[in-house]
């Protein structure tokens, strides 16, 4: 069934961030919508991304709390707005970024650089322009997709419901039910394992897309990946897909480096024990360095090392996210004379509707063993999941919502 009633509300359970750097709480919330360009999705699984952690601890600022985050959602469509044509109730979907679809960047195949990207993904609610286009009466309350209700309203609030920072990446999928912008939803086959593939919506696609799209790594080339978390390991697997001759993973944790070797790295460097530049030169058997490099850490000192390891006409891409004030020096003359490049990469510069089916196929054929890095947690054990991610005990944690009541008949 389709939905065109913006004023409908639904009560569900979500993981709510009560304040910056506080533990998430499993609470009852009220959802407003869906609007004409949105879908209501029952979330089956949500990946935990480093961006979620950065917003939770204040490294990346969000405008208000309480907040419902989560942006690697996977679930089943319950209802759709009248402007949504590509998915229907009952479809399985993986969720990715929110984008307008009509600007010069979206229309040319670069939705991660949508001109409305910041308000759509980090604004905390719906824009007034979208509410006006949907002719929503009392639109101010519907600017927020999520409200805390009843006994879950903070004691300092005088109202019966308090708005939450929501609509995160157009989905806020740390919730059993989610109001999702239609642009986020990618239909997948009915046999798709939603828990396994939930991370494709952001972190995994970012690592793969950086190698395939932003850097366009070529066969027989040399690649260095700095940071062997989920994004970096995805980059390692993508370099193997591109048949690079030398794939070097650099990290501080030897357990991560062992996994990197298992996933396709030809060489590993423990930065806590080795001189990274000297080791890269030894591996490449030249003082020239590598053809391609990816930083997945966002640490300025690591980025400097990455730049120093580039060969003549080498290309480096930045996917690790630092705090907004961080900068790195560039050796301008070296950069110029060697024709080197250092570029930013948002979301792997992917079109989710193309990248997700591609990775599903690669995994099915045994060429992209995502299952080797994913660990599963019940939503009621969410604190352990976040603790394990922060400590580095697991690479990619996925929260399952199956223990909560389902709305699917």
């Amino acid at each position: 069934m389709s939905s065109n009633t913006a004023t409908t509300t639904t009560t569900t359970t979500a993981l709510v961030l009560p304040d910056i750097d506080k533990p998430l709480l499993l609470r009852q919330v009220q959802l407003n919508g869906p609007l004409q360009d949105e879908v209501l999705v029952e979330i089956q699984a949500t990946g935990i991304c480093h961006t979620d952690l950065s917003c939770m601890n204040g490294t990346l600022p969000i405008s208000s709390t309480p907040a419902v985050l989560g942006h690697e959602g996977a679930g089943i469509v319950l209802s759709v707005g009248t402007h949504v044509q590509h998915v229907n109730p009952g479809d399985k979907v993986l969720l990715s970024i929110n984008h307008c679809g009509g600007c010069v960047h979206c229309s040319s195949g670069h939705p991660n650089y949508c001109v409305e990207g910041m308000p759509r993904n980090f604004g905390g609610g719906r824009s007034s322009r979208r509410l006006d286009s949907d002719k929503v009466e009392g639109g101010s309350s519907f600017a927020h997709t999520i409200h805390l209700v009843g006994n879950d309203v903070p004691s300092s609030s005088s109202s019966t419901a308090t708005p939450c920072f929501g609509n995160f990446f157009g989905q806020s999928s740390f919730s059993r039910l989610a109001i999702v912008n239609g642009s986020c939803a990618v239909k997948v086959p009915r046999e798709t394992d939603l828990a396994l593939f939930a991370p494709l919506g952001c972190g995994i696609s970012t690592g793969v897309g950086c190698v395939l799209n932003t850097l366009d790594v070529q066969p027989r080339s040399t690649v260095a990946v700095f940071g062997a978390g989920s994004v970096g390991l995805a980059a390692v697997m993508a370099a193997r897909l591109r048949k690079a001759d030398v794939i070097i993973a650099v990290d501080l944790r030897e357990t991560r480096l062992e996994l990197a070797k298992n996933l396709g790295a030809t060489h590993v460097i423990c930065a806590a024990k080795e001189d990274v530049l000297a080791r890269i030169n030894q591996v490449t058997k030249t003082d020239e360095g590598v053809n391609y490099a990816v930083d997945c850490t966002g640490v300025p000192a690591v980025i400097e090392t990455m730049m120093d390891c580039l060969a003549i006409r080498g290309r480096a891409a930045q996917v690790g996210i630092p705090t907004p004030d961080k900068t790195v020096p560039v050796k301008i003359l070296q950069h110029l004379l060697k024709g080197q490049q250092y570029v930013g990469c948002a979301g792997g510069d992917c079109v989710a509707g193309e990248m997700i089916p591609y990775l599903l196929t690669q995994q099915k054929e045994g060429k992209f063993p995502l299952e080797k890095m994913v660990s599963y947690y019940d939503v009621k054990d969410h604190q352990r999941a976040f603790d394990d991610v922060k400590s580095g005990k697991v690479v990619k944690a996925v929260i399952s919502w199956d223990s909560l009541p389902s709305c699917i008949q």
Side-chain angles (χ1 to χ4, degrees):
M1 125 183 127
S2 294
S3 171
N4 189 26
T5 307
T7 54
T8 58
T9 59
T10 305
T11 300
T12 190
T13 304
L15 289 171
V16 178
L17 177 70
D19 207 346
I20 296 300
D21 214 20
K22 299 295 183 183
L24 296 180
L25 304 173
L26 200 58
R27 294 290 184 260
Q28 291 294 299
V29 298
Q30 186 180 81
L31 304 181
N32 291 332
L35 303 185
Q36 294 178 357
D37 62 348
E38 295 173 332
V39 298
L40 178 65
V41 177
E42 180 173 283
I43 301 296
Q44 308 296 306
T46 317
I48 298 176
C49 180
H50 193 267
T51 302
D52 296 311
L53 301 181
S54 296
C55 289
M56 289 165 62
N57 66 23
T59 300
L60 293 178
I62 56 175
S63 59
S64 64
T65 53
V68 178
L69 303 174
H71 64 286
E72 291 183 347
I76 298 173
V77 176
L78 297 181
S79 62
V80 303
T82 54
H83 290 178
V84 178
Q85 304 296 321
H86 65 292
V87 296
N88 294 293
D91 287 344
K92 282 188 172 183
V93 290
L94 299 182
L95 307 181
S96 188
I97 63 163
N98 187 356
H99 58 285
C100 76
C103 72
V104 62
H105 305 296
C106 288
S107 58
S108 61
H110 305 281
N112 282 278
Y113 304 105
C114 173
V115 297
E116 297 180 11
M118 285 302 293
R120 280 177 168 265
N121 292 283
F122 294 95
R126 301 173 173 121
S127 68
S128 57
R129 182 184 62 77
R130 286 182 58 217
L131 293 171
D132 289 343
S133 68
D134 242 293
K135 297 183 173 60
V136 177
E137 296 182 9
S140 60
S141 64
F142 273 78
H144 293 276
T145 54
I146 307 171
H147 288 74
L148 280 172
V149 294
N151 294 331
D152 289 315
V153 177
S155 58
S156 60
S157 174
S158 59
S159 63
T160 58
T162 191
C164 290
F165 179 97
N167 206 41
F168 188 56
F169 281 79
Q171 54 181 281
S172 284
S173 54
F174 284 157
S175 182
R176 180 51 155 160
L177 298 178
I179 298 294
V180 177
N181 188 274
S183 68
C184 305
V186 177
K187 182 179 176 179
V188 294
R190 289 190 177 275
E191 66 272 16
T192 301
D193 182 343
L194 293 177
L196 172 61
F197 292 110
L200 296 189
C202 182
I204 303 303
S205 292
T206 295
V208 174
C210 181
V211 168
L212 302 190
N213 300 328
T214 301
L215 291 178
D216 190 20
V217 167
Q218 295 299 301
R220 307 296 303 275
S221 60
T222 55
V223 183
V225 178
F226 291 81
S230 60
V231 176
L233 292 172
V236 165
M237 290 193 285
R240 184 173 67 171
L241 288 173
R242 276 293 172 91
K243 303 187 185 309
D245 272 354
V246 174
I247 305 169
I248 306 168
V250 183
D251 202 274
L252 296 170
R253 296 188 182 97
E254 293 188 352
T255 54
R256 294 288 177 90
L257 295 173
E258 284 300 315
L259 180 56
K261 285 195 291 187
N262 190 254
L263 294 174
T266 60
H267 301 79
V268 297
I269 301 173
C270 181
K273 298 180 178 180
E274 301 180 79
D275 182 319
V276 174
L277 287 176
R279 180 73 176 122
I280 286 176
N281 287 336
Q282 181 185 39
V283 168
T284 58
K285 297 181 175 60
T286 173
D287 289 332
E288 189 171 296
V290 294
N291 305 126
Y292 305 96
V294 182
D295 175 68
C296 305
T297 72
V299 177
V302 176
I303 297 167
E304 288 186 59
T305 301
M306 174 182 71
M307 295 290 289
D308 287 339
C309 85
L310 284 181
I312 294 173
R313 299 183 66 218
R315 301 190 70 216
Q318 184 65 46
V319 297
I321 301 176
T323 55
D325 61 323
K326 297 298 183 185
T327 61
V328 293
V330 175
K331 296 180 177 69
I332 300 172
L333 187 60
Q334 170 186 302
H335 201 66
L336 183 156
L337 294 178
K338 290 190 173 183
Q340 295 170 334
Q341 299 180 49
Y342 171 50
V343 297
C345 173
D349 196 14
C350 297
V351 176
E354 298 173 1
M355 178 59 76
I356 287 174
Y358 169 76
L359 291 179
L360 290 176
T361 298
Q362 298 306 305
Q363 194 275 340
K364 185 176 182 179
E365 294 178 354
K367 300 175 183 177
F368 193 79
L370 177 64
E371 65 278 3
K372 293 183 179 181
M373 70 168 74
V374 176
S375 301
Y376 303 100
Y377 298 80
D378 184 85
V379 65
K380 295 177 182 178
D381 199 19
H382 63 271
Q383 188 58 56
R384 184 167 66 90
F386 282 90
D387 289 344
D388 288 352
V389 171
K390 292 175 185 177
S391 70
K393 183 177 180 180
V394 300
V395 176
K396 172 58 73 172
V398 172
I399 292 174
S400 170
W401 296 83
D402 289 346
S403 65
L404 298 185
S406 173
C407 295
I408 299 171
Q409 301 298 317

